[in-house]
Amino acid sequence: MVRTMVVGIRDGVKMIGISIISCCAVLVCTMFLNFYVDIRLIEGQILSETAMLFYQAQVSTAKVVCLVSGGCLLLTSVVMLFFYCKHYIDTHKKELGILKALGYSNLKIAANFRVFGISVLLGGLPGFCGAFLLMPLFYELQNKDNILPEITIRFHSVILLYFVVLPTIVFALLAVAYAYFQLKSPVLLLLKDGQQIRGKAGKVKTGKTKADRDEGLPFLTDLGKHTLLEKKILLFFIIFASFCFSSMTQMSAGMKKMASVMMGIMMLIIGIILACTTLFLAIATVIKGNIKTIAMMRVFGYSRKECGRTLLGVYRPAAYVGFVLGTGYQYGLLRLMVDVVFRDIEGVPVYEYDIPVMLLSLILFVIFYETVMYCCSEKIRKISVKEIMLE
């Protein structure tokens, strides 16, 4: 059957990146949206002007967090879904071409990609349950000075529908639609597979010595640019990983002062998880997508260091751009919270940009990023040239 020949449940489960991002998004948004709905129920019990201002600030905070954090993570999940679908199609072109040649329609084949929606369910459901486990502590911290009447935690099925059920269905439909348009390629083009060794590799088939290779650096430069431009979506993942690390680590320090230690720790953990997930996904894909190129470079005498610098080093500037963007994002968001959301609330600390925290975050990011690059470049050493050449 086409279902077993194309894509199965196991392939949907492998999309761990979407599951992790979905879990983080649903966890944060469920806590704040549930709090938003519950706090609205006590509006009639608020009598003092101070309590009303605090209530309005809490309502605005919940809206801002859901829209900004949820929207950003949703966009990233959609991009990652399209990446997974295209990557699957690119690595199974021959099988898909054979199916089309046998008479299967694009829609019939694409319908099997609906199982990719399971990745959202596997992430969203734990995130939803985790949110309710944290809610008692979260509600207590949000009203730790007892300015508002007691806020009761209630279960709202509509939140489960919006954050778990509907996203699973929507992502399944998006996967089917995206796969359908990707499968419109001619059968012969799919049968050719399209995964060829880089055309530029011909420049190295001249038995060059080390000195000659130094003179041939334009090839390495050209190969690096080609790698960078061939998978633009991976560039997005590199920037996003750096963005998450930068914004969340710096924001967590600010949240400890402005909100609570719990919020700071939660943001720190989420930021590190998102950064690790997207960065490892991007780098592993770069290596896997260029495995034949790496094999050919090693055959002609290029060292592991040269391979790593050419194929992985080109992403380093983008990573530091992402760190800068994350720094600006967290500063702008915290300024928005202090100057707009909490401007009428007494006792809110004045937010000042914390340069020592930024420098510490930068040092940790350099260590984190360069360690990941080193570990991934070590994989190049383990690539078996013989196995690649026998394929």
Side-chain angles (χ1 to χ4, degrees):
M1 293 178 64
V2 62
R3 179 176 301 174
T4 59
M5 294 176 65
V6 180
V7 58
I9 298 295
R10 185 175 298 178
D11 296 296
V13 173
K14 288 180 179 178
M15 300 203 304
I16 187 66
I18 294 179
S19 298
I20 292 175
I21 292 179
S22 300
C23 181
C24 294
V26 173
L27 176 68
V28 174
C29 292
T30 297
M31 281 201 306
F32 278 94
L33 188 59
N34 207 87
F35 179 76
Y36 169 81
V37 176
D38 288 342
I39 198 176
R40 292 293 299 269
L41 298 176
I42 66 167
E43 183 177 3
Q45 304 175 33
I46 301 174
L47 303 177
S48 68
E49 182 179 354
T50 301
M52 180 56 69
L53 291 175
F54 183 75
Y55 162 81
Q56 293 173 348
Q58 293 287 3
V59 169
S60 299
T61 300
K63 290 181 179 179
V64 170
V65 171
C66 287
L67 291 175
V68 176
S69 300
C72 180
L73 295 175
L74 174 63
L75 175 62
T76 305
S77 297
V78 172
V79 173
M80 193 171 286
L81 174 70
F82 291 163
F83 166 77
Y84 273 118
C85 290
K86 189 175 188 308
H87 180 70
Y88 186 90
I89 292 172
D90 288 343
T91 55
H92 294 78
K93 283 186 176 181
K94 287 184 178 179
E95 296 94 322
L96 296 171
I98 291 173
L99 289 174
K100 290 186 67 172
L102 291 174
Y104 289 101
S105 66
N106 291 339
L107 183 59
K108 191 170 185 179
I109 298 174
N112 292 272
F113 283 76
R114 66 184 181 274
V115 301
F116 282 179
I118 195 174
S119 61
V120 179
L121 181 63
L122 293 177
L125 197 56
F128 184 83
C129 296
F132 272 89
L133 291 176
L134 293 173
M135 273 184 197
L137 178 59
F138 176 69
Y139 276 46
E140 180 182 347
L141 292 174
Q142 291 297 97
N143 192 30
K144 60 183 178 181
D145 295 326
N146 295 319
I147 298 176
L148 300 175
E150 183 179 356
I151 306 171
T152 304
I153 300 176
R154 295 177 174 83
F155 175 81
H156 304 283
S157 59
V158 67
I159 297 179
L160 177 65
L161 174 66
Y162 286 154
F163 287 163
V164 179
V165 179
L166 288 182
T168 300
I169 297 173
V170 170
F171 270 70
L173 294 176
L174 281 175
V176 171
Y178 186 77
Y180 173 78
F181 286 105
Q182 288 292 317
L183 289 169
K184 285 188 174 182
S185 301
V187 175
L188 290 178
L189 186 60
L190 291 174
L191 291 174
K192 287 181 180 180
D193 193 7
Q195 295 188 17
Q196 302 172 356
I197 299 175
R198 303 284 180 267
K200 300 292 184 181
K203 295 184 180 180
V204 302
K205 298 181 180 181
T206 57
K208 293 183 178 181
T209 64
K210 181 67 173 66
D212 292 331
R213 290 202 304 272
D214 289 341
E215 295 178 0
L217 282 179
F219 160 69
L220 297 179
T221 302
D222 190 49
L223 179 60
K225 290 181 179 179
H226 181 75
T227 302
L228 191 64
L229 297 175
E230 186 182 38
K231 297 287 186 180
K232 296 183 179 67
I233 197 169
L234 295 179
L235 187 64
F236 168 80
F237 288 153
I238 295 289
I239 294 176
F240 179 74
S242 309
F243 176 90
C244 290
F245 188 97
S246 172
S247 60
M248 294 301 188
T249 53
Q250 295 182 64
M251 197 181 298
S252 65
M255 281 297 171
K256 289 180 181 179
K257 299 176 182 178
M258 298 175 56
S260 65
V261 175
M262 174 191 172
M263 288 298 299
I265 294 175
M266 186 173 69
M267 286 190 170
L268 180 62
I269 293 175
I270 289 177
I272 292 175
I273 290 175
L274 291 177
C276 291
T277 301
T278 51
L279 186 59
F280 273 107
L281 168 67
I283 299 304
T285 304
V286 170
I287 294 176
K288 187 175 181 180
N290 291 278
I291 194 168
K292 291 183 178 180
T293 302
I294 294 170
M296 290 300 299
M297 292 177 70
R298 290 185 56 189
V299 166
F300 293 107
Y302 286 94
S303 66
R304 175 194 61 82
K305 185 176 181 180
E306 287 174 312
C307 294
R309 184 173 63 245
T310 300
L311 299 175
L312 301 179
V314 292
Y315 292 98
R316 186 171 284 103
Y320 289 102
V321 167
F323 184 90
V324 173
L325 292 176
T327 299
Y329 167 81
Q330 66 88 26
Y331 174 76
L333 185 59
L334 290 180
R335 292 293 309 192
L336 174 67
M337 298 293 289
V338 173
D339 297 342
V340 178
V341 177
F342 292 102
R343 67 177 183 273
D344 297 324
I345 304 299
E346 296 182 359
V348 177
V350 177
Y351 175 70
E352 297 180 354
Y353 185 67
D354 199 331
I355 295 180
V357 169
M358 184 274 291
L359 293 177
L360 177 60
S361 176
L362 178 60
I363 292 172
L364 293 175
F365 174 74
V366 171
I367 295 173
F368 163 72
Y369 183 80
E370 298 302 332
T371 301
V372 171
M373 291 296 104
Y374 176 79
C375 292
C376 291
S377 65
E378 281 295 304
K379 291 185 178 181
I380 295 176
R381 187 195 302 274
K382 300 178 182 179
I383 293 176
S384 173
V385 177
K386 181 179 179 181
E387 292 180 6
I388 297 299
M389 300 305 293
L390 289 177
E391 288 186 353

